[in-house]
Amino acid sequence: MTLSALGPRTLVLRSGRRSVRVRVRTVVVSVVVTVATALVAVLALSLGDLPLTPAQVLGALLGVDGGFTATVVREWRLPRVLAAVLFGAALGASGAVFQSLTRNPLASPDVIGLSAGSYAGGLGAIILLGAGAGSVPVSAGAIVGGLAAAALVYALSYRSGIQGFRLIVIGIGVSAMLQALSTYLLLRAKLEVAMVAAVWGAGSLSAVGWAQFLPAAAVVVLAFGALGSFSGSLSRMELGDDAARALGVRVEAARLGLVVSAVALTAAVTAAAGPIAFVALAAPQIAHRLTRTAGIAIVPSAAVGALVLVTADIVAQHALPTALPVGLVTVVIGGAYLVWLLIHETRRRA
């Protein structure tokens, strides 16, 4: 792999016959946000009933300090912090894919029904099969539910191609139907099962340990790998389907691969932690404004998503009088952001 400059603002990465152009600003923003995420993650590891200094945290992570401090950091706090970082990155990347495919800032798994499908699938596994949150049946149910919702929205939206507005409107309708189905499942469940499902449905990282994190992380890593193989096609598809076909892209196959990869990212997060709303909506738009790129870039969106979720989890745990599920914090932040985005888009198109 070689690196060369194409002007003062663009870098070119070459590996064999393949080459990728990267804007310098995009690289700088991604690095800065990643460093900020690492610093916030260290802060998250130091907070709790047993306050620790950053030096103690780093010592426990590097194996310098052992004993009870190492147990607190590596066994109790680290899985949750890593989950916040990885799950935030997964949601940010998933949102970037859908906003790029539809060329609409409102397109995200939360809005177009994919998160609702994953939630309904996981909820069905908990209530109908008696599975525990984060278990293999719940993960399978979340993935199947997300893919089924994606297939339904895609089939109802397709009219000689996909238009962003039609996809969003149909996705909102499908999401409402799936939420009604989830409510029905909760109402017919036993009280103790419904309580477990309700806690999981709020979107919380409190129950995420190594047993829940590692399977979800494996799915996320595989989905990121698949997404990377389609990233070149995504940048060309932003020019429109006809232009992408002229550049040699198999549009429908690439779109299918991108959608499946993005759904897998959302479903893996939902299976382990429940539906965490609005990160997938906000992170790509924040990254877009920071990088000032023509389209939505996946890597900066993933980096911003990681920073948003790990910060929101600190707020949910330590900044409020009572610890809350992180999903409630992201809903409040994301709801305010959605209102601002709607006002901004309305004024821009007026």
Side-chain angles (χ1 to χ4, degrees):
M1 179 177 292
T2 60
L3 176 65
S4 58
L6 185 63
R9 298 183 179 180
T10 306
L11 300 175
V12 180
L13 295 174
R14 291 187 175 89
S15 178
R17 296 182 178 180
R18 299 184 63 182
S19 63
V20 179
R21 294 184 179 184
V22 182
R23 294 177 71 246
V24 173
R25 185 183 179 90
T26 301
V27 175
V28 172
V29 168
S30 300
V31 171
V32 171
V33 173
T34 300
V35 171
T37 302
L39 295 175
V40 175
V42 172
L43 174 63
L45 290 171
S46 67
L47 297 175
D49 293 334
L50 177 65
L52 301 173
T53 65
Q56 288 176 305
V57 170
L58 294 176
L61 293 176
L62 298 175
V64 176
D65 294 337
F68 186 64
T69 299
T71 300
V72 170
V73 172
R74 295 204 295 258
E75 299 299 327
W76 297 352
R77 297 179 183 175
L78 186 58
R80 178 169 185 156
V81 173
L82 288 179
V85 172
L86 186 63
F87 293 173
L91 293 173
S94 179
V97 169
F98 286 107
Q99 291 180 19
S100 295
L101 287 176
T102 61
R103 294 181 288 279
N104 192 309
L106 295 177
S108 79
D110 314 301
V111 176
I112 61 177
L114 307 188
S115 294
S118 295
Y119 175 55
L123 194 63
I126 293 175
I127 293 176
L128 301 179
L129 303 179
S135 62
V136 173
V138 173
S139 301
I143 293 174
V144 171
L147 290 174
L152 179 60
V153 172
Y154 188 88
L156 294 175
S157 305
Y158 189 85
R159 294 292 184 277
S160 301
I162 293 293
Q163 293 183 4
F165 179 75
R166 182 190 297 127
L167 180 74
I168 291 172
V169 172
I170 291 176
I172 291 173
V174 170
S175 179
M177 294 171 58
L178 291 170
Q179 289 171 1
L181 173 62
S182 298
T183 302
Y184 169 76
L185 290 174
L186 284 172
L187 290 175
R188 63 163 292 177
K190 295 180 179 180
L191 179 60
E192 59 273 15
V193 177
M195 291 177 65
V196 171
V199 172
W200 173 77
S204 175
L205 298 172
S206 59
V208 176
W210 289 118
Q212 293 76 31
F213 171 72
L214 292 177
V219 175
V220 169
V221 170
L222 290 175
F224 268 124
L227 195 59
S229 65
F230 292 107
S231 59
S233 299
L234 180 61
S235 61
R236 295 183 180 93
M237 290 168 66
E238 290 178 346
L239 302 173
D241 289 358
D242 293 337
R245 289 190 183 96
L247 294 172
V249 177
R250 298 173 58 191
V251 173
E252 295 305 325
R255 183 180 285 118
L256 178 62
L258 288 164
V259 169
V260 170
S261 300
V263 170
L265 290 173
T266 301
V269 175
T270 303
I276 300 176
F278 287 110
V279 175
L281 175 70
Q285 290 302 308
I286 295 172
H288 179 56
R289 283 160 174 76
L290 291 175
T291 57
R292 300 177 185 174
T293 53
I296 305 294
I298 293 178
V299 173
S301 300
V304 171
L307 179 59
V308 167
L309 189 55
V310 73
T311 303
D313 194 43
I314 290 178
V315 173
Q317 287 188 83
H318 307 292
L320 302 172
T322 302
L324 296 175
V326 68
L328 298 181
V329 175
T330 60
V331 163
V332 173
I333 298 173
Y337 174 79
L338 179 59
V339 170
W340 175 86
L341 183 62
L342 288 171
I343 294 173
H344 175 75
E345 288 297 311
T346 301
R347 290 177 176 174
R348 187 176 65 86
R349 297 182 182 184

